């Protein structure tokens, strides 16, 4: 049995997407910073002859950069959905 007002699924989805957009941007910023710092550490380790540590840092930088690429794609999808909703699109 349902009580009260009918749920507005589109409003619920819109609120979720807006909060997701913020969270995705935060992840992108952290991943970009991590990639930059790991790359700098890899370069420094390379200069100091610490090959294994340099390789580890470089691998971490690569993974962080991959996260940036993936999250930017997610962000574009969320922003497209938000634009569609603004234009009146609905989901069943």
């Amino acid at each position: 049995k349902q009580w009260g007002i009918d749920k507005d699924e589109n409003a619920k989805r819109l609120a979720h997407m807006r909060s997701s957009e913020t969270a995705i941007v935060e992840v992108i910023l952290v991943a970009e910073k991590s990639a930059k710092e790991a790359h700098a550490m890899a370069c420094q380790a390379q200069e100091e002859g610490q090959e294994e540590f340099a390789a580890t840092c470089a691998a971490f930088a690569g993974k962080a950069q991959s996260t940036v690429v993936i999250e930017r794609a997610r962000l574009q999808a969320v922003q497209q959905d938000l634009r569609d909703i603004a234009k009146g699109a609905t989901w069943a």
Side-chain angles (χ1 to χ4, degrees):
K1 189 170 185 177
Q2 185 175 358
W3 298 91
I5 302 173
D6 287 338
K7 293 181 181 178
D8 184 350
E9 291 299 322
N10 285 330
K12 184 177 175 181
R13 181 175 168 88
L14 179 61
H16 174 73
M17 284 191 298
R18 285 185 177 151
S19 66
S20 294
E21 183 180 32
T22 302
I24 292 168
V25 169
E26 289 172 359
V27 169
I28 290 170
L29 294 174
V30 169
E32 285 176 337
K33 181 180 178 186
S34 297
K36 184 178 179 179
E37 290 173 355
H39 177 73
M41 289 173 66
C43 291
Q44 183 178 357
Q46 184 75 30
E47 290 172 6
E48 295 173 0
Q50 299 174 351
E51 303 298 326
E52 190 174 327
F53 184 65
T56 300
C57 290
F60 182 83
K63 288 179 183 180
Q65 192 57 43
S66 294
T67 298
V68 170
V69 171
I70 291 165
E71 294 302 316
R72 283 188 178 165
R74 284 185 60 216
L75 181 61
Q76 286 178 346
V78 168
Q79 288 173 334
Q80 183 61 52
D81 285 348
L82 289 169
R83 284 190 294 273
D84 291 345
I85 288 173
K87 291 178 185 176
T90 59
W91 288 272

